[in-house]
Amino acid sequence: MLKKIHPQKKIIFEYLLIGSNGLLGSSIKSKLNLKKVMCVARTNSDYNLDLKYFKKFKKIFDKYQFKNVINCAAITNLSQCEREKKKSKKINLELPILLNNLSKKMKFNLIHISTDQVYCKSKSYKFKETDKISFLNYYSKTKFLAEKILMNNKKSLIIRTNFTGFKKNLNKTFVGWLLDNIKRKKKINLFNDFYVSTIDVNFCSSVIIKLIKKKAKGIYNLGSRKSISKEKFAILFAEKLGKKLNYNSISSTKSNIIRPKNLTMDTSKIERKLKILMPYPVAVVNNLIKELN
């Protein structure tokens, strides 16, 4: 009688972190036990890969098993999304769909980083997770469509957020771009009617990890407790730095990309879940200043 050959057991990891070199991914990575994490990025990761090659990417799941998959990979630059729609669709929509299918098949928890820009209806109050979502530009369209599919996965955690922080290339983030122009004493344009619940990336990543450990599922807003205009955020940041800000106060309607004016998020759901309070904009700016010291 022939012996039954058992398939080789897969190596199990607590986390698969996709986009581990990005602003949010690198912050999450710094807070996890690296022995429990497999990181995926183009370079300098455990599995170096261009995420547009899905066949190569799927091979990871043939060899390894994961309890939680955190997808931080995204093309977030609005102008780039409009210019490179095919690439944006691949990363922002098709990759989440692939992960969603794998999650259902392999039973891992899927943590998807979405955006506040799906809140497109013109409202003067805070948006709750239960409010209707839509899109106004190609970036928010890809995020909107991805959410619509992931909502049906009981093992998914969708996080709508707006975060900022510092990268080596300062112009890659809003606050980095702001700091660079303050240093160069360059005059910039700032929107006086575009309100956001921006949060610092380190606080953001800490909250995401708490949600995962709490085994949270569904949709959560993750941002500051109160919104602030881009202009006032920049003024506050410059004041805390003790620097002069040279700027033009303009309307967001003058932008070449259509975007919502109000992205104020209601954070009461996440506060109840974790029994913590989200920071106010002043605390967010203080956290960012600490990063520079």
Side-chain angles (χ1 to χ4, degrees):
M1 183 176 178
L2 291 173
K3 287 184 179 180
K4 197 170 185 180
I5 300 172
H6 295 281
Q8 187 177 3
K9 285 187 177 180
K10 292 182 180 180
I11 301 169
I12 301 173
F13 283 89
E14 188 76 21
Y15 304 97
L16 174 65
L17 180 58
I18 305 167
S20 58
N21 290 347
L23 182 64
L24 180 59
S26 58
S27 184
I28 291 174
K29 180 181 175 181
S30 69
K31 294 175 175 63
L32 294 175
N33 181 345
L34 294 183
K35 291 180 180 179
K36 298 181 178 181
V37 186
M38 173 172 280
C39 296
V40 176
R42 279 176 178 267
T43 58
N44 302 317
S45 69
D46 300 314
Y47 201 96
N48 297 332
L49 175 71
D50 187 330
L51 288 168
K52 68 183 180 182
Y53 298 114
F54 285 0
K55 285 185 179 180
K56 290 183 180 179
F57 175 67
K58 284 173 70 177
K59 287 181 180 179
I60 300 173
F61 297 89
D62 294 333
K63 193 173 182 180
Y64 303 98
Q65 184 178 333
F66 308 99
K67 294 180 182 179
N68 303 285
V69 174
I70 310 170
N71 181 26
C72 295
I75 297 173
T76 59
N77 183 284
L78 301 190
S79 298
Q80 184 182 359
C81 285
E82 297 295 333
R83 290 193 314 268
E84 303 176 22
K85 290 184 177 179
K86 187 176 180 180
K87 183 178 179 181
S88 300
K89 182 182 178 183
K90 188 86 173 178
I91 301 301
N92 293 353
L93 176 57
E94 293 176 7
L95 177 61
I97 291 173
L98 172 63
L99 290 170
N100 186 62
N101 292 335
L102 289 169
S103 169
K104 289 181 176 180
K105 180 181 177 182
M106 300 179 176
K107 310 300 181 186
F108 59 74
N109 299 315
L110 176 57
I111 297 86
H112 175 71
I113 310 303
S114 190
T115 176
D116 56 353
Q117 289 215 25
V118 294
Y119 293 126
C120 296
K121 302 297 181 183
S122 181
K123 294 181 180 179
S124 58
Y125 60 85
K126 296 179 178 181
F127 287 98
K128 293 183 178 181
E129 291 86 349
T130 51
D131 284 326
K132 287 185 178 181
I133 61 172
S134 187
F135 56 89
L136 288 178
N137 51 56
Y138 197 73
Y139 169 65
S140 58
K141 181 179 181 179
T142 58
K143 289 294 191 177
F144 166 83
L145 293 173
E147 275 202 27
K148 284 293 184 181
I149 292 167
L150 269 66
M151 281 177 186
N152 296 318
N153 185 350
K154 292 181 180 179
K155 294 185 76 67
S156 72
L157 169 61
I158 298 170
I159 299 168
R160 294 173 182 160
T161 188
N162 181 318
F163 58 87
T164 192
F166 302 99
K167 294 192 75 174
K168 287 182 180 180
N169 183 346
L170 289 176
N171 288 316
K172 288 285 185 180
T173 69
F174 172 69
V175 74
W177 167 81
L178 193 57
L179 177 63
D180 184 49
N181 283 291
I182 289 172
K183 286 180 175 180
R184 295 194 290 135
K185 298 179 181 180
K186 185 179 177 181
K187 197 168 191 176
I188 57 176
N189 294 326
L190 292 169
F191 297 142
N192 53 33
D193 57 357
F194 181 39
Y195 288 81
V196 291
S197 301
T198 301
I199 199 166
D200 58 287
V201 70
N202 285 326
F203 192 94
C204 183
S205 61
S206 296
V207 173
I208 290 170
I209 292 169
K210 286 177 182 178
L211 283 172
I212 296 170
K213 290 183 176 179
K214 278 275 187 179
K215 299 182 179 179
K217 301 294 184 293
I219 303 167
Y220 286 85
N221 288 337
L222 203 178
S224 58
R225 204 154 194 255
K226 184 180 178 182
S227 66
I228 189 171
S229 71
K230 286 284 190 176
E231 179 186 315
K232 288 184 179 178
F233 187 96
I235 292 170
L236 184 59
F237 180 73
E239 285 177 352
K240 293 290 182 179
L241 276 178
K243 301 289 184 180
K244 185 178 178 181
L245 182 64
N246 191 9
Y247 71 98
N248 296 314
S249 179
I250 65 168
S251 170
S252 59
T253 56
K254 293 187 178 181
S255 169
N256 60 350
I257 296 175
I258 302 171
R259 68 188 81 202
K261 283 190 175 184
N262 175 38
L263 294 174
T264 304
M265 293 189 291
D266 185 322
T267 58
S268 58
K269 181 181 177 181
I270 201 168
E271 289 175 336
R272 288 194 303 270
K273 180 69 176 179
L274 299 178
K275 295 180 174 56
I276 60 173
L277 293 178
M278 292 296 107
Y280 285 95
V282 172
V284 171
V285 170
N286 286 337
N287 289 340
L288 289 166
I289 298 296
K290 285 177 186 176
E291 285 188 49
L292 297 173
N293 298 329

Short mmCIF file of all heavy atoms in Angstrom, two decimals, residues 250-288:
data_model
loop_
_atom_site.label_atom_id
_atom_site.label_comp_id
_atom_site.label_asym_id
_atom_site.label_seq_id
_atom_site.Cartn_x
_atom_site.Cartn_y
_atom_site.Cartn_z
N ILE A 250 -6.43 80.75 -1.28
CA ILE A 250 -7.25 80.55 -2.47
C ILE A 250 -8.34 79.50 -2.22
O ILE A 250 -8.28 78.75 -1.24
CB ILE A 250 -6.39 80.11 -3.69
CG1 ILE A 250 -5.78 78.72 -3.44
CG2 ILE A 250 -5.31 81.13 -4.01
CD1 ILE A 250 -5.16 78.10 -4.68
N SER A 251 -9.30 79.43 -3.12
CA SER A 251 -10.36 78.44 -3.05
C SER A 251 -9.90 77.15 -3.72
O SER A 251 -9.16 77.17 -4.70
CB SER A 251 -11.62 78.96 -3.74
OG SER A 251 -12.58 77.93 -3.87
N SER A 252 -10.37 76.03 -3.19
CA SER A 252 -10.03 74.73 -3.78
C SER A 252 -10.65 74.55 -5.17
O SER A 252 -10.24 73.67 -5.93
CB SER A 252 -10.51 73.60 -2.86
OG SER A 252 -11.90 73.66 -2.65
N THR A 253 -11.60 75.39 -5.51
CA THR A 253 -12.21 75.33 -6.84
C THR A 253 -11.22 75.73 -7.93
O THR A 253 -11.44 75.46 -9.11
CB THR A 253 -13.45 76.24 -6.92
OG1 THR A 253 -13.10 77.58 -6.56
CG2 THR A 253 -14.55 75.74 -5.99
N LYS A 254 -10.13 76.39 -7.53
CA LYS A 254 -9.11 76.79 -8.49
C LYS A 254 -8.14 75.65 -8.82
O LYS A 254 -7.28 75.80 -9.69
CB LYS A 254 -8.34 78.00 -7.97
CG LYS A 254 -9.19 79.26 -7.88
CD LYS A 254 -8.35 80.47 -7.52
CE LYS A 254 -9.21 81.74 -7.50
NZ LYS A 254 -8.41 82.94 -7.17
N SER A 255 -8.30 74.53 -8.14
CA SER A 255 -7.47 73.37 -8.43
C SER A 255 -7.88 72.77 -9.76
O SER A 255 -9.04 72.84 -10.16
CB SER A 255 -7.62 72.33 -7.31
OG SER A 255 -7.03 71.11 -7.69
N ASN A 256 -6.94 72.15 -10.45
CA ASN A 256 -7.26 71.51 -11.74
C ASN A 256 -7.89 70.13 -11.56
O ASN A 256 -8.25 69.48 -12.53
CB ASN A 256 -6.00 71.41 -12.62
CG ASN A 256 -4.89 70.60 -11.96
OD1 ASN A 256 -4.99 70.26 -10.78
ND2 ASN A 256 -3.85 70.32 -12.71
N ILE A 257 -8.02 69.70 -10.31
CA ILE A 257 -8.66 68.42 -10.02
C ILE A 257 -9.86 68.66 -9.09
O ILE A 257 -9.74 69.34 -8.08
CB ILE A 257 -7.68 67.44 -9.34
CG1 ILE A 257 -6.54 67.11 -10.31
CG2 ILE A 257 -8.38 66.16 -8.90
CD1 ILE A 257 -5.45 66.27 -9.74
N ILE A 258 -10.97 68.10 -9.46
CA ILE A 258 -12.19 68.25 -8.64
C ILE A 258 -12.04 67.44 -7.37
O ILE A 258 -11.66 66.28 -7.40
CB ILE A 258 -13.44 67.78 -9.42
CG1 ILE A 258 -13.58 68.56 -10.72
CG2 ILE A 258 -14.69 67.93 -8.57
CD1 ILE A 258 -14.66 68.02 -11.64
N ARG A 259 -12.36 68.08 -6.24
CA ARG A 259 -12.32 67.38 -4.97
C ARG A 259 -13.41 67.92 -4.05
O ARG A 259 -13.86 69.06 -4.23
CB ARG A 259 -10.94 67.54 -4.31
CG ARG A 259 -10.61 68.94 -3.84
CD ARG A 259 -9.17 69.04 -3.39
NE ARG A 259 -8.26 69.20 -4.50
CZ ARG A 259 -6.97 68.89 -4.45
NH1 ARG A 259 -6.45 68.37 -3.37
NH2 ARG A 259 -6.20 69.06 -5.50
N PRO A 260 -13.84 67.15 -3.06
CA PRO A 260 -14.85 67.65 -2.13
C PRO A 260 -14.27 68.77 -1.28
O PRO A 260 -13.07 68.80 -1.02
CB PRO A 260 -15.18 66.43 -1.27
CG PRO A 260 -14.54 65.26 -1.93
CD PRO A 260 -13.43 65.78 -2.76
N LYS A 261 -15.12 69.68 -0.84
CA LYS A 261 -14.64 70.76 0.02
C LYS A 261 -14.64 70.37 1.49
O LYS A 261 -13.82 70.87 2.26
CB LYS A 261 -15.52 72.01 -0.16
CG LYS A 261 -15.24 72.79 -1.43
CD LYS A 261 -15.95 74.13 -1.41
CE LYS A 261 -15.58 74.99 -2.60
NZ LYS A 261 -16.19 76.33 -2.54
N ASN A 262 -15.56 69.49 1.86
CA ASN A 262 -15.66 69.09 3.26
C ASN A 262 -15.42 67.60 3.42
O ASN A 262 -16.17 66.78 2.91
CB ASN A 262 -17.04 69.44 3.82
CG ASN A 262 -17.22 68.93 5.24
OD1 ASN A 262 -16.29 68.97 6.04
ND2 ASN A 262 -18.40 68.44 5.55
N LEU A 263 -14.34 67.24 4.11
CA LEU A 263 -14.02 65.84 4.38
C LEU A 263 -13.96 65.59 5.89
O LEU A 263 -13.19 64.74 6.36
CB LEU A 263 -12.69 65.46 3.73
CG LEU A 263 -12.67 65.49 2.19
CD1 LEU A 263 -11.28 65.23 1.65
CD2 LEU A 263 -13.65 64.48 1.61
N THR A 264 -14.75 66.33 6.61
CA THR A 264 -14.79 66.19 8.07
C THR A 264 -15.37 64.83 8.46
O THR A 264 -16.47 64.48 8.06
CB THR A 264 -15.65 67.30 8.71
OG1 THR A 264 -15.15 68.58 8.30
CG2 THR A 264 -15.63 67.20 10.22
N MET A 265 -14.62 64.07 9.23
CA MET A 265 -15.06 62.74 9.63
C MET A 265 -15.50 62.69 11.09
O MET A 265 -14.85 63.28 11.96
CB MET A 265 -13.94 61.72 9.41
CG MET A 265 -13.60 61.49 7.95
SD MET A 265 -12.45 60.09 7.71
CE MET A 265 -10.95 60.74 8.42
N ASP A 266 -16.58 61.97 11.33
CA ASP A 266 -17.04 61.70 12.69
C ASP A 266 -16.24 60.50 13.20
O ASP A 266 -16.28 59.42 12.62
CB ASP A 266 -18.54 61.37 12.65
CG ASP A 266 -19.14 61.19 14.04
OD1 ASP A 266 -18.46 60.62 14.91
OD2 ASP A 266 -20.29 61.62 14.24
N THR A 267 -15.51 60.69 14.27
CA THR A 267 -14.62 59.63 14.79
C THR A 267 -15.19 58.94 16.03
O THR A 267 -14.47 58.22 16.72
CB THR A 267 -13.23 60.21 15.12
OG1 THR A 267 -13.38 61.27 16.09
CG2 THR A 267 -12.56 60.76 13.87
N SER A 268 -16.46 59.15 16.31
CA SER A 268 -17.05 58.60 17.54
C SER A 268 -17.05 57.07 17.56
O SER A 268 -16.88 56.46 18.61
CB SER A 268 -18.47 59.14 17.74
OG SER A 268 -19.30 58.84 16.64
N LYS A 269 -17.22 56.43 16.40
CA LYS A 269 -17.26 54.97 16.35
C LYS A 269 -15.93 54.36 16.78
O LYS A 269 -15.89 53.43 17.60
CB LYS A 269 -17.62 54.49 14.94
CG LYS A 269 -17.71 52.97 14.81
CD LYS A 269 -18.04 52.54 13.38
CE LYS A 269 -18.05 51.02 13.25
NZ LYS A 269 -18.35 50.59 11.85
N ILE A 270 -14.84 54.88 16.24
CA ILE A 270 -13.52 54.33 16.58
C ILE A 270 -13.14 54.66 18.02
O ILE A 270 -12.47 53.89 18.70
CB ILE A 270 -12.45 54.84 15.57
CG1 ILE A 270 -11.23 53.93 15.58
CG2 ILE A 270 -12.03 56.28 15.86
CD1 ILE A 270 -10.27 54.19 14.43
N GLU A 271 -13.60 55.80 18.50
CA GLU A 271 -13.34 56.19 19.89
C GLU A 271 -14.06 55.25 20.86
O GLU A 271 -13.51 54.86 21.89
CB GLU A 271 -13.77 57.64 20.12
CG GLU A 271 -12.87 58.65 19.41
CD GLU A 271 -13.35 60.08 19.54
OE1 GLU A 271 -14.57 60.30 19.75
OE2 GLU A 271 -12.52 60.99 19.41
N ARG A 272 -15.28 54.87 20.52
CA ARG A 272 -16.03 53.93 21.36
C ARG A 272 -15.38 52.55 21.33
O ARG A 272 -15.26 51.88 22.36
CB ARG A 272 -17.48 53.82 20.88
CG ARG A 272 -18.34 55.03 21.17
CD ARG A 272 -19.81 54.71 20.98
NE ARG A 272 -20.11 54.21 19.63
CZ ARG A 272 -20.43 54.98 18.60
NH1 ARG A 272 -20.49 56.31 18.74
NH2 ARG A 272 -20.69 54.45 17.41
N LYS A 273 -14.95 52.13 20.14
CA LYS A 273 -14.36 50.81 19.98
C LYS A 273 -13.08 50.65 20.80
O LYS A 273 -12.87 49.63 21.47
CB LYS A 273 -14.05 50.55 18.50
CG LYS A 273 -13.44 49.19 18.20
CD LYS A 273 -14.42 48.06 18.42
CE LYS A 273 -13.83 46.71 18.02
NZ LYS A 273 -14.79 45.61 18.26
N LEU A 274 -12.22 51.66 20.75
CA LEU A 274 -10.91 51.57 21.40
C LEU A 274 -10.84 52.28 22.75
O LEU A 274 -9.82 52.23 23.43
CB LEU A 274 -9.83 52.16 20.47
CG LEU A 274 -9.68 51.45 19.11
CD1 LEU A 274 -8.62 52.15 18.28
CD2 LEU A 274 -9.35 49.98 19.28
N LYS A 275 -11.94 52.98 23.09
CA LYS A 275 -12.00 53.73 24.36
C LYS A 275 -10.86 54.75 24.46
O LYS A 275 -10.18 54.88 25.49
CB LYS A 275 -11.98 52.77 25.55
CG LYS A 275 -13.21 51.88 25.64
CD LYS A 275 -13.15 50.96 26.83
CE LYS A 275 -14.45 50.17 27.01
NZ LYS A 275 -14.86 49.39 25.83
N ILE A 276 -10.65 55.46 23.36
CA ILE A 276 -9.65 56.54 23.31
C ILE A 276 -10.27 57.73 22.59
O ILE A 276 -11.32 57.60 21.95
CB ILE A 276 -8.36 56.11 22.57
CG1 ILE A 276 -8.68 55.71 21.12
CG2 ILE A 276 -7.65 54.99 23.30
CD1 ILE A 276 -7.45 55.45 20.26
N LEU A 277 -9.63 58.88 22.69
CA LEU A 277 -10.07 60.07 21.98
C LEU A 277 -9.09 60.36 20.85
O LEU A 277 -7.87 60.31 21.05
CB LEU A 277 -10.16 61.28 22.91
CG LEU A 277 -11.23 61.23 24.01
CD1 LEU A 277 -11.15 62.49 24.87
CD2 LEU A 277 -12.63 61.08 23.42
N MET A 278 -9.61 60.67 19.70
CA MET A 278 -8.76 61.09 18.59
C MET A 278 -8.21 62.49 18.91
O MET A 278 -8.87 63.29 19.58
CB MET A 278 -9.55 61.14 17.29
CG MET A 278 -9.98 59.77 16.76
SD MET A 278 -8.62 58.68 16.31
CE MET A 278 -8.67 57.52 17.66
N PRO A 279 -7.02 62.81 18.43
CA PRO A 279 -6.42 64.11 18.75
C PRO A 279 -7.07 65.26 17.98
O PRO A 279 -7.59 65.07 16.88
CB PRO A 279 -4.96 63.93 18.32
CG PRO A 279 -5.03 62.91 17.23
CD PRO A 279 -6.13 61.97 17.62
N TYR A 280 -7.03 66.44 18.58
CA TYR A 280 -7.46 67.65 17.88
C TYR A 280 -6.31 68.10 16.96
O TYR A 280 -5.17 67.68 17.13
CB TYR A 280 -7.80 68.75 18.89
CG TYR A 280 -9.12 68.54 19.59
CD1 TYR A 280 -9.18 67.91 20.83
CD2 TYR A 280 -10.31 68.97 19.00
CE1 TYR A 280 -10.40 67.70 21.47
CE2 TYR A 280 -11.53 68.77 19.63
CZ TYR A 280 -11.57 68.14 20.86
OH TYR A 280 -12.77 67.94 21.49
N PRO A 281 -6.59 68.98 15.97
CA PRO A 281 -5.54 69.42 15.05
C PRO A 281 -4.28 69.96 15.72
O PRO A 281 -3.17 69.71 15.23
CB PRO A 281 -6.25 70.50 14.23
CG PRO A 281 -7.68 70.07 14.21
CD PRO A 281 -7.92 69.49 15.57
N VAL A 282 -4.43 70.65 16.84
CA VAL A 282 -3.25 71.18 17.54
C VAL A 282 -2.34 70.03 17.99
O VAL A 282 -1.12 70.10 17.86
CB VAL A 282 -3.67 72.04 18.76
CG1 VAL A 282 -2.45 72.42 19.59
CG2 VAL A 282 -4.40 73.29 18.31
N ALA A 283 -2.95 68.97 18.52
CA ALA A 283 -2.17 67.81 18.96
C ALA A 283 -1.52 67.11 17.77
O ALA A 283 -0.38 66.62 17.88
CB ALA A 283 -3.06 66.84 19.73
N VAL A 284 -2.23 67.06 16.65
CA VAL A 284 -1.67 66.46 15.42
C VAL A 284 -0.42 67.21 15.00
O VAL A 284 0.63 66.61 14.71
CB VAL A 284 -2.70 66.47 14.28
CG1 VAL A 284 -2.06 66.05 12.95
CG2 VAL A 284 -3.88 65.54 14.60
N VAL A 285 -0.50 68.54 14.98
CA VAL A 285 0.65 69.37 14.59
C VAL A 285 1.79 69.19 15.59
O VAL A 285 2.96 69.07 15.20
CB VAL A 285 0.24 70.86 14.48
CG1 VAL A 285 1.47 71.75 14.33
CG2 VAL A 285 -0.70 71.05 13.30
N ASN A 286 1.47 69.14 16.88
CA ASN A 286 2.51 68.93 17.90
C ASN A 286 3.22 67.60 17.69
O ASN A 286 4.45 67.50 17.85
CB ASN A 286 1.90 68.99 19.30
CG ASN A 286 1.55 70.40 19.72
OD1 ASN A 286 2.11 71.37 19.19
ND2 ASN A 286 0.61 70.54 20.65
N ASN A 287 2.47 66.58 17.36
CA ASN A 287 3.06 65.26 17.09
C ASN A 287 4.01 65.32 15.90
O ASN A 287 5.09 64.68 15.90
CB ASN A 287 1.99 64.22 16.82
CG ASN A 287 1.19 63.86 18.06
OD1 ASN A 287 1.64 64.08 19.18
ND2 ASN A 287 0.02 63.28 17.88
N LEU A 288 3.63 66.07 14.87
CA LEU A 288 4.48 66.21 13.68
C LEU A 288 5.76 66.98 14.01
O LEU A 288 6.84 66.64 13.51
CB LEU A 288 3.70 66.91 12.56
CG LEU A 288 2.57 66.09 11.92
CD1 LEU A 288 1.66 66.99 11.10
CD2 LEU A 288 3.12 64.96 11.07
#
